Amino acid sequence: MSSSRTPLSDSPPGPTTSMRVPSVKWAQRRDRLLLTIEAPQGVSPTLSLQEGTDNTLVYSCTASSEDSSSYALSLELFGSINASETRMQIQKSGAMLVVIAMKLTAGPHWPRLLKAPGKAPAHIKVDFDKFIDEDEEEELANAKDFDLGDMDNLSLYDDPYDKDIHTDSEDSDDEDVPGLDKA
């Protein structure tokens, strides 16, 4: 994945004056966000979530070599996040950070990750490996509640007024219909 460089000052870019922006892949569920932040050659990542009206996620990490720039990212999220229940896992020696951010209130999917309307920046992409449509999520939740084992006692579903289902008696449907030949 490529990263863009963002100068921190008006001086010429160099290892001490520029920061790279890591790539971000995201998906969501009704109750949480799934973020993967990738910073090739990154080590010692830090993540903070500023709760309140802006709900800003701030990420930074240092580069593994002196030739590389450090990484920094600040995302103003579309909705509110519960910072105390947000979890992160470092993978690939700090080059990848997986974040599970719990939404403050479970509900419908957000229309976008960022608060700002319009197209997301180039370094932010939908993670289609983890993506589940809102309708699919509801179907999966309903499928978990369905258990065929609950139907073991079929007598619970027996209609007491329909005695012909479980007997070998003659049924009115078995009468010969005039005009039809028997095969």
Side-chain angles (χ1 to χ4, degrees):
M1 302 236 161
S2 64
S3 299
S4 59
R5 292 186 182 269
T6 306
L8 294 176
S9 66
D10 292 334
S11 60
T16 58
T17 61
S18 66
M19 299 292 272
R20 297 177 80 178
V21 178
S23 62
V24 177
K25 293 192 297 185
W26 77 287
Q28 67 178 317
R29 304 292 183 271
R30 290 182 188 273
D31 61 342
R32 63 187 172 271
L33 292 178
L34 307 167
L35 300 167
T36 304
I37 302 171
E38 294 185 54
Q41 303 170 351
V43 294
S44 305
T46 60
L47 180 77
S48 67
L49 187 61
Q50 302 166 1
E51 281 188 271
T53 56
D54 60 352
N55 290 301
T56 302
L57 182 131
V58 179
Y59 168 86
S60 65
C61 73
T62 57
S64 61
S65 68
E66 291 183 27
D67 298 340
S68 299
S69 300
S70 295
Y71 291 88
L73 174 72
S74 179
L75 301 174
E76 188 175 358
L77 301 174
F78 180 82
S80 300
I81 295 294
N82 186 341
S84 63
E85 292 189 27
T86 295
R87 304 286 177 249
M88 69 177 199
Q89 180 182 15
I90 300 169
Q91 298 178 349
K92 296 183 183 175
S93 302
M96 184 184 302
L97 181 69
V98 177
V99 180
I100 300 174
M102 301 305 290
K103 292 181 180 178
L104 199 56
T105 56
H109 284 199
W110 294 353
R112 58 188 177 275
L113 176 64
L114 303 178
K115 187 174 189 175
K119 188 175 178 182
H123 63 278
I124 298 176
K125 307 277 185 203
V126 173
D127 190 346
F128 287 105
D129 292 335
K130 296 177 184 167
F131 179 83
I132 294 180
D133 186 70
E134 197 168 1
D135 294 334
E136 277 183 77
E137 185 178 1
E138 188 175 315
E139 288 174 14
L140 288 172
N142 291 340
K144 289 178 185 175
D145 294 338
F146 182 72
D147 183 14
L148 287 175
D150 291 341
M151 297 179 66
D152 287 343
N153 187 0
L154 291 177
S155 65
L156 296 174
Y157 305 103
D158 191 18
D159 184 0
Y161 299 108
D162 189 6
K163 297 296 179 194
D164 291 334
I165 289 179
H166 302 290
T167 63
D168 290 332
S169 66
E170 287 287 323
D171 190 2
S172 63
D173 293 347
D174 295 338
E175 295 176 11
D176 291 334
V177 177
L180 293 177
D181 294 330
K182 290 186 178 184

